[in-house]
């Protein structure tokens, strides 16, 4: 059978100019969508990005009985008639974020059966903390044949508030437990909680739905459970990772670009590193203007928020591959997230690896080459490198890129890039 394999063909070396618009945050939208399972009312989310992951999450919710209607960047989710507490394996397997369903399903239905999400290209990605937390809220959890079954014993099948200390500040565990605790009987505290902006976005949505939550964005979150939640109309925050990628597009092409909307506090560590690298950043209310002629080497280490985000490590490495001097990049969050190094080397980057550290010696010019995006953010790193490289870069592995970037080539072409999406026969 002939399979069409799309690829991007980038003619590099062009300066960019103008404005790049940032879509709604993928990682927020995915978890906010799962929150529709907590109420029988309609939940309207706005500023939802048009991504394949969002479509996949919509299909999983629809399989549970949720009415899903998309119109433009809005999505209406009607959880009034949930018929299932067990999303089908085939759908869940294609999207790790579908595991988010377990918290709200358990809180609303008293039971949930969700296939264990697999590892992925960047690491093993366990859900130990999610399970530990659900148990602390009174659920009985068993894992058999690759399926997590959680049941709330007792007459009213209602979770009970509890004290949870996470061993690591897992974003997914914090979000799962916040949703579960929102409908629990009594008070829950989550200590060592993740502080990412997407956690705060979920808390704000849940509060808009009637939940009682304090402390989101700090290491201790307190949730006073309520009996029921109601519908809401809520706009997703801008995608800080897409915004960071766009700022890096300006930096790697030594251009001046406006990127908006940007919430600077969501990108604190990234903006600081861009300034350290020699970029001028001018916030102008809704957005940020970046301009630069030269890039200096620097060191960076990925950390939980408010540290430097792992999701921008690969894109930032592309920039540092073109810097003056030698940079050290340490990946602390995921054990297998340096696969883009080999691809950047194909483009003439000078990088040595030692465990989770990459030593990047900047080169004067990258050279276009056929490369493969090995995961979502690695694909973005390849596109950035292609923008700066001499000649033509061909990026394959777009199934990853399309999960997290809405019309990346269309947006970049509108500011002066030359990128074509082509299909050929595998
Ligand atoms: C989320 C983001 C992802 C981002 C990551 C870290 C979504 C949909 N995805 O993923 O883009 O890269 O946060 O910012 O929001 N861990 C454990 N035990 C657990 C859970 C996690 O050891 O039970 C470890 C992981 O292996 C990893 C670290 O904690 O080393 C961070 O993982 P986590 O914050 O859970 O990431 P996700 O929520 O999966």
């Amino acid at each position: 059978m002939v399979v069409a394999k799309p690829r991007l063909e980038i003619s590099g070396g062009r300066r960019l100019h103008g404005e790049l618009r940032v879509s709604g945050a993928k990682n927020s939208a995915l978890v906010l969508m799962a929150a529709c399972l907590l109420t029988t009312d309609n939940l309207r989310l706005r500023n939802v990005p048009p991504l394949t992951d969002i479509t996949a999450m919509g299909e999983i919710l629809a399989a549970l009985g949720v009415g899903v209607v998309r119109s433009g960047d809005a999505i209406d989710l009607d959880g009034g008639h949930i018929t299932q507490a067990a999303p089908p394996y085939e759908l869940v397997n294609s999207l790790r974020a579908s595991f988010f369903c377990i918290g709200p399903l358990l809180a609303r239905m008293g039971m949930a059966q969700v296939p264990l999400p697999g590892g992925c290209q960047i690491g093993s990605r366990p859900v130990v903390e999610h399970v530990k937390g659900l148990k602390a809220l009174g659920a009985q959890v068993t894992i058999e044949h690759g399926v997590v079954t959680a049941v709330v014993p007792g007459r009213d099948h209602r979770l009970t508030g509890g004290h949870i200390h996470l061993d690591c500040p897992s974003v997914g565990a914090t979000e799962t437990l916040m949703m579960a605790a929102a409908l629990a009987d009594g008070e829950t505290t989550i200590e060592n909680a993740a502080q990412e902006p997407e956690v705060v976005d979920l808390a704000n949505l849940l509060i808009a739905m009637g939940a009682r939550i304090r402390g989101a964005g700090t290491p201790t979150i307190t949730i006073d459970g309520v009996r029921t939640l109601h519908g809401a109309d809520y706009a997703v925050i801008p995608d800080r990772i897409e915004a960071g990628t766009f700022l890096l597009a300006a930096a790697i092409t030594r251009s001046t670009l406006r990127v908006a909307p940007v919430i600077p506090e969501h990108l604190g560590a990234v903006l600081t590193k861009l300034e350290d690298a020699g970029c001028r950043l001018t916030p102008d209310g809704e957005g940020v203007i970046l301009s630069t002629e030269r890039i200096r080497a620097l060191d960076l280490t990925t950390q939980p928020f408010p540290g430097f985000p792992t999701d921008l490590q690969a894109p930032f490495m592309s920039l540092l591959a073109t810097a003056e001097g030698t940079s050290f990049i340490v990946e602390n969050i995921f054990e297998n997230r340096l696969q883009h190094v080999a691809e950047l080397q194909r483009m003439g980057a000078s990088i040595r690896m030692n465990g989770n550290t990459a030593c990047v010696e900047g080169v004067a010019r990258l050279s276009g080459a056929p490369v493969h995006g090995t995961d979502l953010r690695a694909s973005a790193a390849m596109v950035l490198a292609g923008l700066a490289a001499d000649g033509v870069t061909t990026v394959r592995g777009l199934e990853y890129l399309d999960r997290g970037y809405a019309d990346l080539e269309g947006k970049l072409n509108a500011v002066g890039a030359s990128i074509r999406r082509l299909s050929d026969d595998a």
Side-chain angles (χ1 to χ4, degrees), residues 111-253:
M111 86 87 70
Q113 204 165 40
V114 184
L116 208 52
C120 68
Q121 291 70 28
I122 60 175
S124 61
R125 308 191 76 171
V127 289
V128 181
E129 297 300 313
H130 312 51
V131 169
K132 195 180 78 181
L134 292 174
K135 285 181 177 169
L137 299 181
Q140 289 173 349
V141 186
T142 51
I143 304 177
E144 268 181 349
H145 310 300
V147 176
V148 183
T149 303
V151 179
V152 190
R155 217 157 41 88
D156 66 354
H157 301 292
R158 191 173 176 205
L159 290 165
T160 327
H163 183 86
I164 300 160
H165 183 100
L166 297 178
D167 282 349
C168 62
S170 159
V171 177
T174 304
E175 293 170 337
T176 296
L177 298 172
M178 252 174 22
M179 288 190 281
L183 288 179
D185 184 13
E187 185 179 281
T188 297
T189 49
I190 308 174
E191 280 182 30
N192 197 25
Q195 301 172 58
E196 268 69 1
E198 294 76 19
V199 170
V200 179
D201 208 26
L202 174 62
N204 287 338
L205 168 68
L206 295 174
I207 290 166
M209 293 168 72
R212 295 169 62 187
I213 301 176
R214 302 187 304 280
T218 76
T220 304
I221 301 177
T222 306
I223 303 133
D224 281 319
V226 295
R227 270 267 169 210
T228 56
L229 293 174
H230 51 72
D233 181 335
Y234 188 85
V236 178
I237 54 170
D239 195 310
R240 65 193 167 105
I241 306 302
E242 188 191 30
T245 306
F246 288 168
L247 292 168
L248 287 163
I252 202 168
T253 56

Side-chain angles (χ1 to χ4, degrees), residues 43-405:
L43 173 63
R44 165 164 271 228
L45 297 175
R46 286 175 288 106
N47 200 30
V48 177
L51 299 169
T52 53
D53 269 10
I54 298 292
T55 309
M57 191 65 171
E59 284 168 6
I60 288 160
L61 292 171
L64 297 174
V66 175
V68 181
V69 180
R70 275 180 91 162
S71 49
D73 75 348
I75 187 160
D76 283 290
L77 300 162
D78 178 359
H81 306 282
I82 307 285
T83 50
Q84 274 279 341
Y89 175 80
E90 310 75 62
L91 294 179
V92 169
N93 191 38
S94 67
L95 181 68
R96 280 189 51 81
S98 57
F99 197 71
F100 285 136
C101 293
I102 198 166
L105 277 176
L106 193 57
R108 165 107 173 262
M109 317 279 281
M111 86 87 70
Q113 204 165 40
V114 184
L116 208 52
C120 68
Q121 291 70 28
I122 60 175
S124 61
R125 308 191 76 171
V127 289
V128 181
E129 297 300 313
H130 312 51
V131 169
K132 195 180 78 181
L134 292 174
K135 285 181 177 169
L137 299 181
Q140 289 173 349
V141 186
T142 51
I143 304 177
E144 268 181 349
H145 310 300
V147 176
V148 183
T149 303
V151 179
V152 190
R155 217 157 41 88
D156 66 354
H157 301 292
R158 191 173 176 205
L159 290 165
T160 327
H163 183 86
I164 300 160
H165 183 100
L166 297 178
D167 282 349
C168 62
S170 159
V171 177
T174 304
E175 293 170 337
T176 296
L177 298 172
M178 252 174 22
M179 288 190 281
L183 288 179
D185 184 13
E187 185 179 281
T188 297
T189 49
I190 308 174
E191 280 182 30
N192 197 25
Q195 301 172 58
E196 268 69 1
E198 294 76 19
V199 170
V200 179
D201 208 26
L202 174 62
N204 287 338
L205 168 68
L206 295 174
I207 290 166
M209 293 168 72
R212 295 169 62 187
I213 301 176
R214 302 187 304 280
T218 76
T220 304
I221 301 177
T222 306
I223 303 133
D224 281 319
V226 295
R227 270 267 169 210
T228 56
L229 293 174
H230 51 72
D233 181 335
Y234 188 85
V236 178
I237 54 170
D239 195 310
R240 65 193 167 105
I241 306 302
E242 188 191 30
T245 306
F246 288 168
L247 292 168
L248 287 163
I252 202 168
T253 56
R254 312 296 192 262
S255 303
T256 299
L257 274 179
R258 178 171 192 262
V259 178
V262 171
I263 300 174
E265 305 84 72
H266 291 179
L267 275 166
V270 178
L271 299 181
T272 302
K273 288 293 173 192
L274 284 168
E275 278 178 336
D276 291 351
C279 301
R280 280 182 303 282
L281 295 171
T282 317
D284 66 356
E286 195 215 6
V288 173
I289 298 165
L290 184 146
S291 61
T292 188
E293 284 89 41
R294 299 173 70 165
I295 293 294
R296 287 191 293 271
L298 52 79
D299 297 342
L300 67 84
T301 301
T302 61
Q303 283 165 339
F305 192 87
F308 188 92
T310 175
D311 287 349
L312 283 173
Q313 177 260 112
F316 217 105
M317 188 182 294
S318 293
L319 175 67
L320 294 177
T322 70
E324 293 167 26
T326 303
S327 307
F328 285 87
I329 299 179
V330 183
E331 172 54 54
N332 264 335
I333 307 294
F334 290 111
E335 67 269 22
N336 198 19
R337 209 173 200 179
L338 288 169
Q339 291 179 69
H340 45 280
V341 167
E343 300 300 303
L344 285 173
Q345 283 167 335
R346 292 166 68 84
M347 298 180 69
S350 173
I351 307 173
R352 277 174 296 125
M353 298 251 300
N354 185 4
N356 65 342
T357 302
C359 169
V360 185
E361 230 176 282
V363 294
R365 208 89 184 117
L366 295 172
S367 70
V371 288
H372 200 93
T374 46
D375 66 65
L376 165 57
R377 305 305 170 183
S379 307
M382 294 305 121
V383 173
L384 292 177
L387 291 176
D390 275 339
V392 175
T393 297
T394 310
V395 183
R396 290 172 205 268
L398 302 188
E399 64 276 17
Y400 298 121
L401 192 74
D402 294 339
R403 295 179 73 151
Y405 292 89

